[in-house]
Each structure stands twice: as structure tokens, then as C-alpha cells.
């Protein structure tokens, strides 16, 4: 499978020596497992409609009504950096206090891919998972994730509104998770080599680019959505409304654009350290990046800046979801409330390199500019960010008169694009 690579040590931490997350790419590239989602989302007599308009029927599962006594432990599936217990860094520990206060011992399985998370959740051995948008919809559709009673999560009330009731964490007003954090995919450029300063994704998609061989692109099938987003704004006749809902014609146009771009790409990256190194050496001068990569590069004196282009951007958001087979649901609920509590959410967001989900976390970060840097409270900023969502045959843009290209086909196309 694919592998997303994403740092978890942004400023104020020093440049990463042991990045706690080496597989961020897998969040977007759910690869072959997406086919399972397309199958799971079949029709039925009582179809529910997701906020995005995709008709499918999640199994009828009830959310927990009351919070009971601690079961003594909780088994989590998490991205590295999300459930730190001090073993990686004695100064980074938000598990020990949780265990002391709740009596729930935390057992964490660090997953490297979204596919792995989905597979592990199917075993019924885990209580909760920090799912990305490309995994969350599959877990909902297959019945592996149960609806969440947000009233049992007191800190939920302080979660930014832009993260609630979204198409990757809810279905028809029913919540299936507790938002953890979010981030945008930005356009980064070398200020000494790229002039004038770009404000459009045309800087990486223009076939006649002045930076041939020095353009860098994200190495994942989900990057097809970036091309679709660009076409959505620049070729309105294609009728693209959602970069994750592409009919065959729209999909082919996005793939063709990426095949043309391939001639200008010097490097496809998934390891954030690799991208920092490429910008540092001058091998790359413009391309897709994350805020935390910008921070790291600037800390190493690389002359770079980043912008959210005028066309908008893709992005990612993680959600804590509870297993429909959870053996320790009370501890799982306690964990979900804990991980988004102001102090802990601030610690995780700063350590990982993302915008926190809890608005109150912004006053508790070590770097007082963290939330400003990551646009945590700027909902107008996030309106232009299309968060990763697994493409399925049922178009998530609401169309019912056509089928959209499922993610398994995105994976196949990505091989052709790079080849």
C-alpha cells in the first residue's frame, strides 16, 4: 500500500531526528481497500444520505446512551504521535495522567496506513481509532464504527464548528466521531528562485512551467483530487463540484493534467524530510507542502514561503471513532473526551503539527502563535479546503444520475501517471 509521510515535530521542537510519523501518505492512499467501501455502500430499501449527498445505508447501530464505570483499559489504534506516553520523549506524555485520572490503562497500536486501521478495526479487538477521512467513511459504511453520543464527550462543545457534522465523520446528522485536528495542503515555493510569488496552482500544473524538473508533487493517488480541484476552478465546463466526486470524463481530465505535469516534476515526495532536503538543495523550488514542513524548512534557513492558492486546496482531518464491537466503550469515551480537552489537544496539535480541534486549546500552546500559524480559528480559511474523503462509486457531490470513479481506479491511474 501507499504511505503518507508527515512530520510530527514542528516548531517549537527542533528539526526531527526521530519523526514519530513515517506513514502519513497512507491516510490519503487507502488504495485497494477503497474497493471494499464501494461494495459496502450498496443500495438498500432504507437509504441514508450523507452530507455530501452519497446514498448508502450504514448499519443501524445505536450510540451509547450513558457513561458507565471504567473497564480498566482501552485499546487504541492511532497515528504515531497521537497517544504519546513518554516512551518516545519523556517530556511528551498525555497518556500517564489520563490513566491516573480515569483508571483506564491505554494500550496503543500504532498504524502506518489507513488500510491497516480499517483491517484492525474489523478484528473487534480495538475500542477506538484516530481515522482519517479516507478510512472513516469505510468504517461507517461497513458498520465497524458506531455512532457517537457527543453528549458523553463534554469537551465536544468547544470543538470548532467547521469540524462538526462533516461528510467524513457523520451521516445525515448522526455523528460517528470526535474531531481531533486538521491541516491544509499548501503551495510552497523558494522565494529566491520563484518570481513573482505564485498565488495559483498553475505554478505546478502549467505545462510551460519555467521550473521544469524542479516541481515537486505529493506522491499519492489522492493527489488526483488536487488536479481536479484546479480544474474545478479553471475549467468550469467540466462541471466538477467536488474533487473527490469525479465521473469518468472529469476523472480522465484530471489524470491527463497530471500526466502532462509529470514532465515537469523532478520529484514525487511522501517523506517530509525528503521535501525539506530537496528545497534546501535547490532540487525543488515549488510544489505541494504542509504548514509543518514550511516551519521546518524555515527553521533550517531555507528561503521558502507557502500560500493557500486562490483555487483553494485539499486537506486532511482526523476523527476519533469508537468501534461498534468495543469491549471497553466507557474508557473509549473517556479517552475521546481527554484527547480533545484544551490542554491535551494543545499539546498534541503542537507536537504533531496541525490545527487543534478544541478552540480553547489555542490559549494553551507553548508557541502562542501556533493557532494563528495553523489557522485554527479561521473558519473562512477552511472553507476553501476540501478535506480528504474516500472517492466511491456513489458520487459524494449529490449526483444520482451517474457513477463516480472509486478509489481503486485512482490507485491504478496513479501508477500510469508516474510511469
Amino acid at each position: 500500500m501507499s504511505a503518507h509521510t508527515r512530520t510530527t515535530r514542528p516548531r517549537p521542537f527542533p528539526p526531527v531526528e526521530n519523526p514519530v510519523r513515517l506513514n502519513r501518505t497512507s491516510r490519503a492512499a487507502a488504495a485497494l481497500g477503497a474497493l471494499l467501501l464501494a461494495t459496502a455502500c450498496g443500495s438498500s430499501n432504507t437509504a441514508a444520505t450523507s452530507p455530501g449527498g452519497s446514498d448508502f445505508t450504514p448499519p443501524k447501530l445505536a450510540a451509547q446512551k450513558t457513561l458507565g464505570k471504567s473497564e480498566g483499559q482501552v485499546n487504541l489504534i492511532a497515528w504515531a504521535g497521537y497517544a504519546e506516553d513518554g516512551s518516545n520523549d519523556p517530556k511528551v506524555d498525555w497518556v500517564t495522567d489520563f490513566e491516573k485520572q480515569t483508571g483506564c490503562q491505554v494500550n496503543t497500536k500504532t498504524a502506518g496506513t489507513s488500510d491497516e486501521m480499517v483491517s484492525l478495526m474489523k478484528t473487534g479487538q480495538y475500542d477506538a481509532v484516530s481515522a482519517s477521512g479516507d478510512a472513516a467513511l469505510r468504517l461507517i459504511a461497513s458498520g465497524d464504527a458506531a455512532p457517537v453520543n457527543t453528549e458523553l464527550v463534554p469537551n465536544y462543545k468547544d470543538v470548532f464548528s467547521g469540524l462538526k457534522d462533516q461528510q467524513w465523520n457523520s451521516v445525515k446528522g448522526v455523528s460517528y466521531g470526535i474531531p481531533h485536528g486538521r491541516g491544509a495542503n499548501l503551495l510552497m515555493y523558494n522565494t529566491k528562485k520563484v518570481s513573482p510569488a505564485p498565488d495559483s496552482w498553475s505554478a505546478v500544473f502549467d505545462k510551460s512551467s519555467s521550473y521544469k524538473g524542479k516541481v515537486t508533487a505529493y506522491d499519492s493517488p489522492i493527489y488526483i483530487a488536487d488536479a481536479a480541484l484546479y480544474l474545478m476552478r479553471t475549467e468550469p465546463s467540466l462541471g466538477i463540484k467536488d474533487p473527490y466526486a469525479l465521473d469518468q470524463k472529469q476523472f480522465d481530465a484530471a489524470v491527463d493534467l497530471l500526466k502532462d505535469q509529470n514532465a515537469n516534476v523532478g520529484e514525487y515526495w511522501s517523506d517530509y524530510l525528503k521535501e525539506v532536503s530537496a528545497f534546501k538543495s535547490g532540487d525543488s523550488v515549488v510544489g505541494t507542502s504542509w504548514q509543518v514542513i514550511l516551519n521546518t524548512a524555515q527553521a533550517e534557513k531555507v528561503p521558502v514561503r507557502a500560500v493557500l492558492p486562490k483555487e483553494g486546496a485539499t486537506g486532511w482531518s482526523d476523527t476519533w471513532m469508537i468501534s461498534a464491537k468495543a469491549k471497553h466503550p466507557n474508557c473509549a469515551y473517556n479517552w475521546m473526551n481527554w484527547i480533545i480537552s484544551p490542554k491535551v489537544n494543545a499539546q498534541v496539535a503542537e507536537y504533531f503539527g496541525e490545527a487543534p480541534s478544541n478552540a480553547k486549546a489555542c490559549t494553551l500552546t507553548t508557541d502562542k502563535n501556533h493557532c494563528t500559524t495553523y489557522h485554527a480559528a479561521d473558519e473562512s480559511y477552511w472553507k476553501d479546503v476540501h478535506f480528504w474523503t474516500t472517492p466511491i462509486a456513489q458520487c459524494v457531490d449529490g449526483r444520482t444520475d451517474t457513477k463516480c470513479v472509486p478509489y481503486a481506479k485512482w490507485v491504478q491511474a496513479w501508477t500510469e501517471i508516474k510511469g
Side-chain angles (χ1 to χ4, degrees):
M1 296 299 174
S2 54
H4 277 133
T5 309
R6 187 164 181 277
T7 177
T8 56
R9 292 180 187 257
R11 292 185 301 175
F13 295 95
V16 181
E17 295 178 356
N18 295 304
V20 290
R21 187 168 196 169
L22 299 179
N23 288 303
R24 184 70 175 180
T25 306
S26 58
R27 298 162 47 101
L32 301 180
L35 186 58
L36 297 177
L37 174 60
T39 302
C41 297
S43 61
S44 117
N45 293 329
T46 55
T49 303
S50 76
S54 174
D55 290 334
F56 70 93
T57 306
K60 293 182 179 180
L61 300 172
Q64 187 167 330
K65 294 182 178 180
T66 59
L67 195 62
K69 294 182 179 180
S70 163
E71 299 93 352
Q73 66 176 316
V74 62
N75 300 324
L76 306 176
I77 305 168
W79 295 113
Y82 272 14
E84 292 298 298
D85 61 3
S87 58
N88 289 318
D89 184 339
K91 298 179 181 179
V92 183
D93 181 0
W94 38 84
V95 166
T96 300
D97 284 345
F98 170 77
E99 293 177 332
K100 291 179 179 178
Q101 292 186 30
T102 65
C104 300
Q105 179 182 344
V106 177
N107 304 307
T108 303
K109 170 66 176 179
T110 300
T113 71
S114 285
D115 280 343
E116 184 181 1
M117 286 185 168
V118 172
S119 295
L120 289 171
M121 282 287 279
K122 288 183 179 299
T123 68
Q125 298 176 20
Y126 298 90
D127 302 301
V129 60
S130 61
S132 300
D134 58 319
L137 190 57
R138 283 187 282 168
L139 294 173
I140 294 171
S142 64
D144 290 303
V148 170
N149 183 348
T150 58
E151 292 184 1
L152 301 183
V153 185
N155 286 308
Y156 183 78
K157 67 180 184 301
D158 297 317
V159 169
F160 288 109
S161 60
L163 286 171
K164 297 179 178 179
D165 300 320
Q166 298 300 318
Q167 68 180 22
W168 62 87
N169 61 26
S170 66
V171 176
K172 202 173 183 180
V174 177
S175 176
Y176 280 82
I178 302 300
H180 176 103
R182 55 184 167 178
N185 298 318
L186 305 174
L187 176 62
M188 188 165 79
Y189 61 97
N190 185 308
T191 57
K192 293 185 178 180
K193 302 292 185 179
V194 179
S195 181
D199 65 352
S200 166
W201 287 114
S202 62
V204 299
F205 289 125
D206 187 348
K207 288 192 294 185
S208 58
S209 173
S210 302
Y211 311 108
K212 185 173 183 177
K214 294 184 180 297
V215 172
T216 184
Y218 191 42
D219 190 2
S220 168
I222 204 67
Y223 185 63
I224 294 173
D226 290 60
L229 176 66
Y230 178 68
L231 293 173
M232 182 168 68
R233 303 303 186 192
T234 59
E235 295 190 26
S237 61
L238 285 170
I240 299 175
K241 297 179 180 179
D242 186 310
Y244 306 102
L246 306 177
D247 60 34
Q248 193 63 55
K249 179 180 179 181
Q250 296 166 340
F251 182 76
D252 290 343
V255 170
D256 288 343
L257 178 62
L258 291 172
K259 286 181 177 179
D260 288 339
Q261 183 200 41
N262 178 264
N264 291 331
V265 173
E267 179 179 64
Y268 290 97
W269 67 274
S270 58
D271 184 334
Y272 94 96
L273 289 174
K274 190 175 181 180
E275 187 181 31
V276 171
S277 178
F279 270 86
K280 196 170 184 178
S281 67
D283 289 340
S284 295
V285 298
V286 64
T288 309
S289 187
W290 293 310
Q291 182 68 48
V292 67
I293 298 176
L294 173 69
N295 292 351
T296 303
Q298 290 179 334
E300 295 186 17
K301 308 301 181 184
V302 183
V304 291
R305 291 181 181 174
V307 63
L308 183 69
K310 60 186 180 183
E311 298 90 0
T314 57
W316 48 268
S317 176
D318 291 339
T319 302
W320 283 99
M321 308 180 80
I322 189 168
S323 172
K325 304 172 184 177
K327 295 180 176 63
H328 315 101
N330 297 312
C331 280
Y333 266 93
N334 284 330
W335 171 260
M336 291 191 295
N337 188 56
W338 173 265
I339 201 64
I340 67 163
S341 60
K343 182 179 179 181
V344 176
N345 200 225
Q347 293 173 336
V348 179
E350 198 162 18
Y351 180 70
F352 193 85
E354 63 188 342
S357 65
N358 191 316
K360 292 184 177 179
C362 289
T363 62
L364 300 175
T365 55
T366 301
D367 177 1
K368 297 308 176 184
N369 293 318
H370 180 85
C371 281
T372 298
T373 299
Y374 286 83
H375 302 275
D378 186 359
E379 293 299 340
S380 61
Y381 176 89
W382 299 108
K383 287 180 180 179
D384 292 324
V385 177
H386 297 257
F387 292 104
W388 287 335
T389 302
T390 306
I392 59 177
Q394 294 87 352
C395 301
V396 297
D397 62 1
R399 285 180 291 172
T400 58
D401 59 348
T402 188
K403 288 187 177 181
C404 281
V405 179
Y407 202 46
K409 297 293 185 181
W410 289 45
V411 176
Q412 296 174 10
W414 186 244
T415 300
E416 297 175 5
I417 291 166
K418 294 179 62 180

